[in-house]
Amino acid sequence: MHLLYLDDAGSVGNPQERFFILAGVALFERQTYHLERELDDVAGRFGHPQPKALELHGNQMLAGRNFWRNVPKADRRRAIADGLNAIRSLRGDVALFAAVIEKVAVSPEDPVEFAFEEVASRFDKKLLRLHRNGRSERGIIVLDKSTMETRLQALATEFRFQGHRAGRLHNLADVPFFVDSKASRLVQYADLVAYALWRHFEKQDSEFFDIIKNDFDQEGGVVHGLLVKTVG
């Protein structure tokens, strides 16, 4: 089983922000334990009384909110970078996926739905490539809890049975699952990926994006895992 953990960055309803981003990491089920341990190690550096309860949330870390307000800024930035680098310790097939959507570029469509369709179809195609290479595996998408929960579950069902712009989803085992990010290091990793992309596109700050820019799903030098949809 391959699992795709996703989170978003950017506010759909905020006219001051240009981009909405949905992003995360796809990995084999047995790799989740190892990534969680690496992220636990990052969270364990800062003297929190319950390190496993310390959420690695990119926006809060960089801004110094909640527990992070007492951590020096340089250490907070290093923690984000080290969190993103955690996938370096994993063996086997690990890939990032993301849809970076300039909201006006898809108007009047919902950028959340547009992004989810793109990421889900690209994940499905990765599973198809694995099947063609002799590794037949199903996929599950796991997202942070959000107000879009019901709609995204319905969308996934529509894609599986009725199709979408690029075809139908054939390799997903079920509708998406939604979890509390505080309880999932893997969703927290997805948050760091989405935040790195948001900083790059929205704020022209590439410090974190540069860490992961070569980690998106690709084959034969062609990048499949990253869509950037902008005006023009």
Side-chain angles (χ1 to χ4, degrees):
M1 180 73 72
H2 256 67
L3 304 170
L4 174 60
Y5 291 86
L6 295 174
D7 202 356
D8 60 14
S11 171
V12 171
N14 184 350
Q16 303 303 314
E17 295 180 358
R18 292 174 57 199
F19 291 96
F20 173 81
I21 293 165
L22 184 67
V25 59
L27 66 174
F28 185 61
E29 58 188 275
R30 287 198 293 268
Q31 295 171 309
T32 59
Y33 168 77
H34 300 288
L35 183 53
E36 181 177 359
R37 286 190 61 185
E38 292 292 323
L39 295 173
D40 279 344
D41 287 346
V42 173
R45 301 174 187 169
F46 299 100
H48 193 281
Q50 296 179 297
K52 281 190 172 293
L54 177 59
E55 186 173 4
L56 300 176
H57 187 286
N59 195 328
Q60 291 184 11
M61 294 168 76
L62 192 61
R65 297 194 185 99
N66 301 324
F67 173 84
W68 297 101
R69 72 169 61 93
N70 297 317
V71 178
K73 186 172 183 178
D75 293 341
R76 287 185 265 124
R77 295 187 82 99
R78 189 176 306 113
I80 295 173
D82 290 347
L84 289 167
N85 271 314
I87 59 169
R88 307 277 173 261
S89 66
L90 302 183
R91 299 178 180 178
D93 188 10
V94 180
L96 303 185
F97 286 83
V100 177
I101 310 299
E102 187 174 9
K103 293 180 289 186
V104 298
V106 299
S107 180
E109 290 188 62
D110 181 348
V112 177
E113 295 182 10
F114 189 97
F116 179 75
E117 177 176 338
E118 287 291 342
V119 172
S121 64
R122 289 162 190 267
F123 178 48
D124 188 64
K125 289 175 182 176
K126 173 183 175 62
L127 296 172
L128 178 59
R129 295 202 314 269
L130 289 175
H131 172 72
R132 289 172 175 169
N133 291 328
R135 292 179 56 193
S136 295
E137 296 182 18
R138 305 290 277 172
I140 289 286
I141 297 175
V142 183
L143 300 102
D144 189 12
K145 283 184 176 293
S146 72
T147 55
M148 294 297 294
E149 177 173 345
T150 302
R151 181 59 183 141
L152 291 183
Q153 287 179 336
L155 273 175
T157 300
E158 291 173 15
F159 294 169
R160 289 173 66 199
F161 297 109
Q162 299 174 28
H164 56 91
R165 285 192 304 263
R168 290 173 56 184
L169 301 180
H170 297 283
N171 299 287
L172 299 188
D174 208 334
V175 296
F177 289 88
F178 292 81
V179 300
D180 187 339
S181 63
K182 293 180 180 179
S184 172
R185 287 286 187 220
L186 283 300
V187 170
Q188 291 172 33
Y189 186 82
D191 172 271
L192 295 179
V193 173
Y195 188 64
L197 286 158
W198 190 83
R199 292 291 305 180
H200 176 69
F201 285 94
E202 188 76 31
K203 300 296 184 180
Q204 293 77 54
D205 173 7
S206 300
E207 176 183 356
F208 305 123
F209 173 72
D210 285 347
I211 295 171
I212 59 172
K213 63 184 179 182
N214 297 319
D215 295 320
F216 292 91
D217 181 52
Q218 57 183 286
E219 183 182 46
V222 178
V223 176
H224 302 289
L226 175 61
L227 169 78
V228 179
K229 179 72 172 178
T230 59
V231 176

